[in-house]
Amino acid sequence: WLALAFIGTKVAHELGHAVMCRRMGSRCGSVGLLMLCGVPCPYCDVTDIWRQPSTARRAAVMLAGIYIELIIASIATFVWVGAIDPEVRLHAMNLMVLCGVSTIVFNANPLMRYDGYYVMCDLVGSTNLRQEGRDAFRQVIMARIGGREYGDAKQSSIRSWWLAGYHAASTMYRYLISIAIATLVLGIAEYSHLRSVAIALVIVAVIAMVAGFIRRLFGVVHGADRWSGVPMWRRGGFSLIVLLLVLSVLFVPLPRYRTATGRIDAALASSVFLPSDAMID
């Protein structure tokens, strides 16, 4: 039921983009399904809206899907409040989370290339926010670490600083999403009795990520690209610090459980008073 609700709400989300695109006087392109992390997800091509000169009209089309999902979440909230049947309340709560929290965390989040990303690109006047953020990070952070011999010139403007922060936040967010996807794959595989296959796939993906990281780190140590003129002590010190940070994240154990004192109040519970030798069946 949760999977059907996900696909159904995403269909409504994309149709919201299509309807708003037509309302704004632009042509809606193709509508279909794509596989996103193994899950069938609807999509709608509203590229024609970028011909519109109004920023508000473009933002209205980009945010139309979120608007539709929030309406669904609001209706589900009223159902959850008024329903008595626990199963109906559970489905309503799932819709509240799916269309309320989920759409804000993912679709409205500018750290991934979804609706919020394109709205932010439009607001800040960027054609490729991710690339600009990467370039700004090199100019603001890496140029200061590498010194005057580093390939990129230093930048100190407010726009460069917040673009560098955006790049750091989006990079961390992508890693968190990758971990979440790997956890989801392992959970589904365990339910389907394919845990060993999923573990093998996750290990291959981790090895590929680690290999890319080590290759880039070796490039820094050997003075590749922008690091060619940077002194060895700077390159080695920076690489050592990065390596220690990564190893601490991977191997320093964190507590898995927390102890908390509280009270559990079961839904629809009734107090039953029995003699000491009685038993409830």
Side-chain angles (χ1 to χ4, degrees):
W1 286 111
L2 189 59
L4 291 175
F6 175 81
I7 296 175
T9 54
K10 294 310 171 186
V11 168
H13 179 109
E14 299 304 325
L15 290 179
H17 287 306
V19 171
M20 185 62 76
C21 187
R22 294 292 298 273
R23 290 290 299 273
M24 293 295 109
S26 297
R27 185 182 64 86
C28 177
S30 61
V31 178
L33 283 174
L34 57 85
M35 298 299 290
L36 185 63
C37 302
V39 179
C41 294
Y43 74 91
C44 177
D45 180 12
V46 292
T47 309
D48 194 59
I49 192 61
W50 294 100
R51 299 175 183 269
Q52 292 278 356
S54 172
T55 302
R57 284 174 173 265
R58 295 193 297 267
V61 174
M62 291 298 104
L63 298 176
I66 298 174
Y67 174 72
I68 293 297
E69 289 203 52
L70 291 179
I71 291 176
I72 296 174
S74 301
I75 296 172
T77 303
F78 285 108
V79 174
W80 179 76
V81 170
I84 299 176
D85 186 0
E87 189 170 357
V88 174
R89 289 170 60 89
L90 176 62
H91 291 317
M93 186 187 68
N94 286 336
L95 278 178
M96 290 161 56
V97 174
L98 191 62
C99 297
V101 178
S102 175
T103 194
I104 297 297
V105 170
F106 291 99
N107 292 105
N109 191 341
L111 300 179
M112 296 289 285
R113 287 190 175 182
Y114 297 130
D115 302 336
Y117 171 85
Y118 294 105
V119 173
M120 176 170 277
C121 284
D122 202 8
L123 291 176
V124 302
S126 173
T127 56
N128 192 333
L129 188 58
R130 183 173 292 179
Q131 183 62 46
E132 280 196 43
R134 188 181 297 116
D135 294 340
F137 188 83
R138 290 170 179 164
Q139 295 165 354
V140 170
I141 306 299
M142 304 308 295
R144 285 171 168 76
I145 295 175
R148 69 181 67 181
E149 296 85 0
Y150 189 75
D152 287 329
K154 296 179 183 178
Q155 294 289 336
S156 299
S157 64
I158 296 177
R159 181 182 175 87
S160 297
W161 278 100
W162 82 257
L163 282 173
Y166 172 83
H167 172 72
S170 63
T171 301
M172 292 299 298
Y173 185 73
R174 287 199 297 273
Y175 280 118
L176 289 175
I177 291 297
S178 300
I179 294 171
I181 291 173
T183 305
L184 178 64
V185 168
L186 290 175
I188 295 174
E190 186 171 7
Y191 180 77
S192 305
H193 305 290
L194 295 172
R195 182 176 175 82
S196 57
V197 176
I199 290 176
L201 292 175
V202 171
I203 288 175
V204 170
V206 170
I207 290 174
M209 292 176 61
V210 171
F213 168 76
I214 292 175
R215 184 173 63 252
R216 290 191 296 271
L217 205 59
F218 268 108
V220 173
V221 174
H222 290 289
D225 298 331
R226 296 172 176 81
W227 294 90
S228 57
V230 179
M232 180 61 192
W233 68 269
R234 278 183 179 268
R235 303 197 309 263
F238 172 72
S239 302
L240 181 61
I241 291 173
V242 171
L243 185 62
L244 290 176
L245 286 174
V246 172
L247 291 177
S248 65
V249 170
L250 292 177
F251 296 108
V252 174
L254 295 175
R256 187 169 181 179
Y257 299 100
R258 290 285 188 272
T259 301
T261 303
R263 174 184 174 186
I264 298 176
D265 191 4
L268 303 179
S270 299
S271 299
V272 179
F273 300 93
L274 300 173
S276 58
D277 57 347
M279 181 174 60
I280 295 179
D281 186 3

